[in-house]
Amino acid sequence: MTRAGIFKKGMQLTLSQDMAYKWNFLITVIATMFKDFIGPLIIILIYTSTSGIPGWSLYEFLLFQGTLTLVFGFGHFAFVQIPAKVISGVRRGTFDKYLLKPVDTLFYLTAIATDWDGLGQVAVGLALIIFAFIKLNLAISLNFWIYVLLILVAFIFQYAIMVLISALTFLIVQSWALLDLFFKISDFARYPSSVYGVGLRFMLTFFFPIAISAYYPSIVLINGFSIKLLLEAVIPVFVFFILSLYVWKLAMRKYTSAGG
Amino acid sequence: MKKFKGLVKNAFKLGLAYRAHFFVSLIGVPLALIIYYYLWGSIFSYSGQSVLNGYTFLELITYYALSMVVGMLTYVDVDAWMGNDIKSGVVVSDFLRPISYIWNLFYVTCGFRSLAFIIEVIPTILIAIFFIKVPVPSILYFVFFLISLIFAFLLNYFLTFCVGLTAFWFKEIYGLRKIKTAIKAFLEGGLIPLTFFPLSFQVVFKFLPFQYMRFVPINFYLQKYTLMEAWPLFLIQLIWIGVFYLIAVFVYKKAFKKFAGAGV
């Protein structure tokens, strides 16, 4: 079977799993979408009763939030089940079955990681982006295509994080705690890096480049870009990505040697 | 009382097994406070006002810290346990216990909350004090806060138990629980004080059970109510507790019959 074939099969499989309880699936999707509308609702409450967040008009902020929802929604849809499968697999001792497959383990895990609930979140993100895009009178210009490109880089960051968490499951602690920790830290991405102090902003760009999730794409779409800005947005993500693949390799080596 | 002690002790041990989680939720406290600090700092300075919708900057950050404390102390996830127990059929063994299902789970929850008090709430309070100059209420209002906190816990417990009971009919209630969590977080005032809503919404909220589980206890601490306003609030809390308790008992009886009838 080709790699694309495996991917397709994996997606079919997860779809039928998610559909096992149809009502629950439907309600879960609605719940996810509802949850993602709460963020914008709070922002509207803030903007109607205060002057808002400095440097961002209401619609600019909604664009920011839509981008964030899209990126995290895609992470939820495509990648979040990777660490989930690893954690429960290692706990139950069923992880070895992934190692027996005749394809690369990480590829196989990615192929079966689709979580269809995430589509609702992606839809909410897209809806918010389109709404804000129209309200802000933006055009499909070069800025827009750079915006799209940065969102793709943000997807890569989502993947890198999930791979890193999966790897750390072998190396540090076998629990959901790491995944929770990531979601806690990712709360920093909920607001533009510009509201934080210089030190924090530096961390969120270079050390844990989560500012790529919404901050960098949005300011490029709204204000335009410079080469320097793009480099500081993109390079840390790729460094992070390579690092996480390396840690995964390390973890795999450790796991197989312990089992053999 | 002995039964109570045993169940609480058991829950305590169970909770310790998940200490990595407690650790993470503890890291989350300063992280969240930092985010709120910067976010609201920028909003306050941009507005140029010292009071927004009834809260000073300091009160608002305290509001969020208290929201975490109230959330930790009143956290109830019996609906998740019930969902699992009912789906797997383990619930049958609970029918056989000498203590009713509703109170059994209640005591276990109390155990978890007392553990949370020691390893989550106390550190959270210390972190909050470290970050900001937390205002301290008068003794009377602190007592009010504690009373409304206990009521909030009871209300939360019975409401969550009712949600859990739906598993007898729906089998898988993960989605329903998710909706409940989202609605609650929003309407309890856990994400933003309810005074930021338009007035007409605030009137409607008075007639819903949600604000009595978080917003009201927090505002007792912040002394936002007069003495005249206090008593009706307690009364409403009690009424909602009664309502959900009765629903829980009634629906549980129905569910028990249905379940027993299915051949178990």
Side-chain angles (χ1 to χ4, degrees):
Chain A
M1 200 185 267
T2 60
R3 291 207 153 199
I6 296 172
F7 229 100
K8 204 177 140 203
K9 200 86 196 154
M11 286 178 88
Q12 280 168 355
L13 201 74
T14 50
L15 185 64
S16 59
Q17 274 168 4
D18 279 342
M19 285 299 187
Y21 295 98
K22 281 195 190 61
W23 273 108
N24 181 64
F25 177 74
L26 192 71
I27 293 177
T28 307
V29 172
I30 294 171
T32 317
M33 292 172 80
F34 180 77
K35 221 177 110 207
D36 289 308
F37 270 116
I38 289 180
L41 279 175
I42 286 179
I43 288 309
I44 292 169
L45 288 178
I46 290 178
Y47 271 86
T48 46
S49 61
T50 73
S51 317
I53 293 155
W56 296 77
S57 72
L58 173 60
Y59 295 121
E60 284 170 355
F61 200 94
L62 288 180
L63 179 80
F64 171 88
Q65 233 166 6
T67 311
L68 186 81
T69 311
L70 172 70
V71 168
F72 274 82
F74 188 79
H76 177 177
F77 171 69
F79 308 133
V80 94
Q81 288 296 325
I82 300 173
K85 289 228 153 62
V86 171
I87 292 164
S88 63
V90 169
R91 276 201 165 175
R92 288 195 213 142
T94 55
F95 183 77
D96 294 49
K97 75 178 179 198
Y98 301 126
L99 297 173
L100 295 173
K101 306 285 176 195
V103 283
D104 176 59
T105 310
L106 186 57
F107 169 79
Y108 181 73
L109 281 168
T110 312
I112 57 165
T114 315
D115 187 342
W116 293 87
D117 306 354
L119 271 192
Q121 214 174 339
V122 169
V124 172
L126 282 176
L128 278 171
I129 292 169
I130 293 168
F131 175 73
F133 195 86
I134 293 168
K135 283 283 180 187
L136 289 168
N137 269 325
L138 293 168
I140 298 191
S141 59
L142 181 62
N143 286 348
F144 174 78
W145 295 113
I146 303 274
Y147 168 77
V148 174
L149 223 60
L150 286 181
I151 286 180
L152 294 179
V153 177
F155 288 171
I156 293 175
F157 181 65
Q158 289 282 326
Y159 187 60
I161 283 287
M162 292 307 154
V163 171
L164 185 67
I165 292 171
S166 310
L168 291 179
T169 301
F170 298 103
L171 299 175
I172 302 177
V173 57
Q174 292 164 24
S175 94
W176 301 95
L178 274 173
L179 202 56
D180 288 348
L181 183 64
F182 163 67
F183 285 117
K184 289 250 151 77
I185 296 177
S186 69
D187 278 346
F188 276 105
R190 283 182 182 282
Y191 303 100
S193 300
S194 51
V195 307
Y196 302 118
V198 182
L200 259 179
R201 201 149 52 173
F202 185 82
M203 294 264 295
L204 300 177
T205 300
F206 295 107
F207 188 66
F208 189 74
I210 200 155
I212 188 70
S213 309
Y215 178 68
Y216 281 111
S218 310
I219 54 170
V220 163
L221 185 56
I222 296 165
N223 301 331
F225 65 94
S226 66
I227 297 297
K228 181 179 161 283
L229 187 90
L230 292 184
L231 289 179
E232 78 174 43
V234 171
I235 289 176
V237 174
F238 281 102
V239 172
F240 201 93
F241 179 54
I242 292 165
L243 198 78
S244 68
L245 288 181
Y246 177 74
V247 177
W248 171 262
K249 280 227 170 78
L250 215 69
M252 281 297 96
R253 217 176 298 152
K254 192 183 166 226
Y255 185 77
T256 10
S257 64
Chain B
M1 202 56 205
K2 218 176 146 194
K3 263 194 299 198
F4 176 74
K5 256 190 181 163
L7 284 165
V8 168
K9 218 170 134 189
N10 252 342
F12 213 87
K13 282 184 189 158
L14 254 166
L16 274 178
Y18 292 96
R19 53 192 176 277
H21 273 265
F22 282 111
F23 183 67
V24 167
S25 83
L26 226 52
I27 293 179
V29 172
L31 291 186
L33 284 179
I34 290 171
I35 293 172
Y36 288 129
Y37 187 89
Y38 279 108
L39 173 71
W40 286 100
S42 73
I43 293 173
F44 266 89
S45 65
Y46 195 47
S47 301
Q49 283 164 304
S50 60
V51 178
L52 288 174
N53 295 312
Y55 296 92
T56 65
F57 176 64
L58 196 62
E59 281 175 337
L60 201 60
I61 303 302
T62 309
Y63 181 99
Y64 282 114
L66 281 167
S67 171
M68 286 183 228
V69 168
V70 173
M72 287 165 185
L73 286 173
T74 61
Y75 180 75
V76 178
D77 58 349
V78 286
D79 49 351
W81 314 345
M82 291 164 78
N84 289 335
D85 285 359
I86 293 165
K87 202 164 70 168
S88 61
V90 177
V91 72
V92 178
S93 68
D94 284 294
F95 292 159
L96 299 173
R97 282 178 211 270
I99 178 170
S100 71
Y101 193 43
I102 190 166
W103 290 110
N104 178 20
L105 291 184
F106 179 76
Y107 293 142
V108 177
T109 305
C110 287
F112 274 120
R113 288 314 98 205
S114 31
L115 179 69
F117 180 74
I118 296 170
I119 61 183
E120 281 187 301
V121 174
I122 292 177
T124 301
I125 293 170
L126 293 178
I127 291 167
I129 292 172
F130 175 78
F131 266 95
I132 48 165
K133 203 180 159 302
V134 178
V136 182
S138 67
I139 293 177
L140 180 68
Y141 273 89
F142 191 70
V143 172
F144 281 174
F145 166 69
L146 291 181
I147 295 171
S148 67
L149 184 67
I150 292 168
F151 287 170
F153 172 67
L154 291 171
L155 174 51
N156 207 350
Y157 176 76
F158 291 120
L159 185 139
T160 311
F161 189 85
C162 287
V163 173
L165 283 176
T166 59
F168 278 106
W169 286 269
F170 295 143
K171 290 189 198 107
E172 179 59 71
I173 56 166
Y174 175 73
L176 198 71
R177 287 198 295 118
K178 238 179 145 177
I179 290 197
K180 177 214 71 177
T181 309
I183 292 179
K184 265 185 65 189
F186 191 45
L187 298 183
E188 277 180 347
L191 303 172
I192 194 166
L194 299 178
T195 49
F196 279 76
F197 282 80
L199 273 176
S200 51
F201 280 70
Q202 293 183 43
V203 173
V204 175
F205 291 160
K206 287 200 168 86
F207 296 95
L208 297 174
F210 302 107
Q211 69 166 343
Y212 304 97
M213 290 185 275
R214 201 185 292 240
F215 183 70
V216 167
I218 296 173
N219 282 310
F220 268 121
Y221 184 97
L222 292 172
Q223 300 190 208
K224 294 289 176 193
Y225 300 120
T226 62
L227 283 177
M228 292 294 285
E229 286 170 322
W231 305 113
L233 287 170
F234 290 135
L235 190 68
I236 297 171
Q237 278 187 310
L238 280 175
I239 291 172
W240 277 115
I241 293 169
V243 167
F244 282 106
Y245 174 74
L246 290 178
I247 295 176
V249 171
F250 177 74
V251 174
Y252 179 69
K253 268 194 187 138
K254 284 221 137 179
F256 186 82
K257 269 190 199 140
K258 180 188 179 302
F259 203 73
V264 183

